[in-house]
Amino acid sequence: TMRRARVLLTLLKRLRVILFCLIAWTAVLVLRQVTWPSRSQLIALAASLATAWVVVSVTSRTVSNRLLAQVVAVTAWSLVALGMLGWLPGTVAFLDQAALQLGDTRMSLLLLLKTGLTLTVLLWAAAAVSRLVDRRVAGVDEISPSMRVLIEKLSRIVLYTLAVVVGLQTIGFKVRHHL
């Protein structure tokens, strides 16, 4: 498909950097076995940055929506930077402490970010499965056009509802209590 071709093309364009990552990580492993671990820190940093660059680049290229691809890239680079600076645990703790108590529910910024990310991924997956169902149903000649539309609409409703319910339950929201 088009997405696979885009990922493959991105990997081929990044082949030199990927080879650099493999060589750099091999050098880090060898240096840590042969000499003091501190002597490999600079190479490990370069290898980490290059690896992060490849992963972020390939990941953001798989997203066909330009705005969403930029959001994915900025978010990933922010996480990489916070992790490399050692600030990620402190940032996570800060986001978890910034919270409001709404009845029995504690709503923190971290929970809202997790919810947004979880729902985004699950809704994206539901859309992908929905497109797959649409293609499969369109290929069946024995089904009437009105029945095809019904099946496509029902599958879309079920998949999106399931994505929202599962997404809310994974972050601790008890859906059964609110239905």
Side-chain angles (χ1 to χ4, degrees):
T1 64
M2 192 66 159
R3 182 166 287 149
R4 284 186 192 147
R6 191 180 304 143
V7 171
L8 186 60
L9 183 62
T10 303
L11 285 173
L12 288 174
K13 285 182 178 180
R14 311 288 186 276
L15 196 55
R16 288 183 182 171
V17 180
I18 293 170
L19 288 174
F20 169 78
C21 292
L22 292 172
I23 292 168
W25 284 116
T26 303
V28 168
L29 292 173
V30 169
L31 282 172
R32 287 188 178 164
Q33 293 298 317
V34 175
T35 186
W36 296 101
S38 61
R39 294 194 177 172
S40 64
Q41 284 179 340
L42 191 56
I43 297 171
L45 179 63
S48 295
L49 285 171
T51 303
W53 184 75
V54 169
V55 170
V56 170
S57 174
V58 171
T59 304
S60 65
R61 299 270 186 216
T62 60
V63 179
S64 54
N65 182 325
R66 284 193 138 199
L67 176 64
L68 188 58
Q70 288 177 342
V71 168
V72 167
V74 168
T75 303
W77 273 115
S78 299
L79 290 172
V80 167
L82 289 170
M84 287 188 167
L85 292 170
W87 296 349
L88 190 58
T91 304
V92 169
F94 172 76
L95 290 172
D96 192 41
Q97 288 173 354
L100 293 173
Q101 191 70 29
L102 302 172
D104 294 340
T105 307
R106 182 179 178 274
M107 297 294 287
S108 70
L109 289 176
L110 182 63
L111 182 65
L112 291 175
L113 286 172
K114 284 181 179 180
T115 303
L117 179 66
T118 302
L119 287 175
T120 300
V121 169
L122 288 173
L123 290 171
W124 172 82
V129 172
S130 177
R131 285 190 300 271
L132 179 68
V133 169
D134 291 352
R135 275 187 258 132
R136 296 287 179 154
V137 169
V140 179
D141 295 331
E142 293 81 26
I143 300 175
S144 69
S146 60
M147 195 60 161
R148 279 188 195 141
V149 171
L150 178 65
I151 291 170
E152 291 170 358
K153 298 289 183 190
L154 280 176
S155 69
R156 200 167 287 135
I157 289 169
V158 167
L159 288 168
Y160 282 111
T161 303
L162 189 63
V164 170
V165 169
V166 169
L168 291 175
Q169 284 184 337
T170 58
I171 55 125
F173 189 80
K174 294 176 179 48
V175 178
R176 291 184 200 141
H177 294 249
H178 300 285
L179 291 178

